[in-house]
Amino acid sequence: NAGVTQTPKFQVLKTGQSMTLQCAQDMNHNSMYWYRQDPGMGLRLIYYSASEGTTDKGEVPNGYNVSRLNKREFSLRLESAAPSQTSVYFCASNSGAGYNSPLHFGNGTRLTVT
Amino acid sequence: GQQLNQSPQSMFIQEGEDVSMNCTSSSIFNTWLWYKQDPGEGPVLLIALYKAGELTSNGRLTAQFGITRKDSFLNISASIPSDVGIYFCAGPPSNQGGKLIFGQGTELSVKP
């Protein structure tokens, strides 16, 4: 039981390049989330998917797109990377969109955009 | 937008000391959550609080849901080196459909 798995662990991009961050969970969770973590700013929600087939914007969605490929997988795409997107990205999941279900996080993808 | 303010931002303590940190909000929360992030990993849930005034322990950790419902506190007793990490409070603002927001984090360093 791996929990939430993110790939890659590290990535360096040049400004304007595109990439997709992958996330998969094996806990049969309905809801999945993408957060970014920046020093002094905590975790900020980028996009989330309350259930398979639905996605919604979070606090900081600009410059990102997401795809809920199936119940297990939720990917985050940067179409044209910018230095402001240098951050650590975390995928998380829980059994429902409500707060009674704890979030389970992956170990993060460390992205640097030069 | 809605914010959670954590203090202190960082702490440097000696092994064996007790630690206190808190989290405040400008609006009422019905749930408070405390997460810990070890270096290089994702956050892990430590304690969940669901009622005003609730006091809950998890080993050496104790958290309280403030009576005003606008704050929460986390205490760690007799700190050890593995307590090192970033502690986040989190909660679901009532106007955001249950999505969690996180505080800025308190970074704890423990000197052996």
Side-chain angles (χ1 to χ4, degrees):
Chain A
N1 189 341
V4 178
T5 303
Q6 291 183 236
T7 56
K9 288 187 180 358
F10 301 93
Q11 183 72 50
V12 178
L13 293 177
K14 295 187 176 178
T15 297
Q17 287 185 317
S18 62
M19 79 159 295
T20 300
L21 282 64
Q22 307 287 352
C23 175
Q25 50 90 10
D26 61 4
M27 296 172 283
N28 200 35
H29 284 165
N30 291 317
S31 301
M32 299 184 74
Y33 309 78
W34 277 104
Y35 287 87
R36 59 177 288 173
Q37 182 179 18
D38 302 292
M41 303 195 71
L43 293 149
R44 293 182 293 168
L45 184 64
I46 304 171
Y47 269 94
Y48 69 103
S49 170
S51 60
E52 187 179 354
T54 68
T55 61
D56 284 290
K57 295 179 180 179
E59 183 184 354
V60 288
N62 291 345
Y64 306 94
N65 285 301
V66 290
S67 295
R68 184 73 182 268
L69 304 170
N70 48 54
K71 190 171 186 179
R72 290 186 63 247
E73 298 172 287
F74 188 38
S75 62
L76 178 72
R77 182 160 178 83
L78 287 70
E79 289 291 351
S80 179
S84 61
Q85 293 178 305
T86 293
S87 187
V88 182
Y89 292 86
F90 287 98
C91 177
S93 70
N94 67 358
S95 61
Y99 50 79
N100 286 329
S101 174
L103 286 175
H104 295 259
F105 285 86
N107 283 335
T109 294
R110 284 144 187 84
L111 175 67
T112 301
V113 183
T114 61
Chain B
Q2 180 69 52
Q3 284 190 321
L4 293 178
N5 295 310
Q6 277 187 255
S7 65
Q9 288 191 347
S10 62
M11 304 180 75
F12 297 84
I13 62 169
Q14 197 77 32
E15 182 176 1
E17 290 183 358
D18 296 342
V19 172
S20 291
M21 60 189 78
N22 68 73
C23 188
T24 60
S25 168
S26 57
S27 62
I28 289 173
F29 276 51
N30 293 319
T31 296
W32 285 97
L33 306 169
W34 284 93
Y35 282 82
K36 183 197 176 195
Q37 182 180 28
D38 288 328
E41 299 185 9
V44 174
L45 181 67
L46 294 174
I47 292 178
L49 302 161
Y50 299 110
K51 287 171 54 176
E54 181 180 354
L55 188 72
T56 297
S57 294
N58 178 4
R60 293 177 297 105
L61 277 61
T62 301
Q64 184 162 24
F65 194 139
I67 291 292
T68 66
R69 295 164 67 190
K70 292 184 177 182
D71 54 12
S72 180
F73 308 88
L74 178 69
N75 297 315
I76 305 172
S77 62
S79 59
I80 59 178
S82 62
D83 291 333
V84 164
I86 304 176
Y87 292 80
F88 292 102
C89 62
S94 58
N95 62 349
Q96 293 195 25
K99 297 188 298 296
L100 287 180
I101 62 169
F102 285 79
Q104 309 97 315
T106 293
E107 186 166 8
L108 179 64
S109 300
V110 180
K111 186 176 180 182

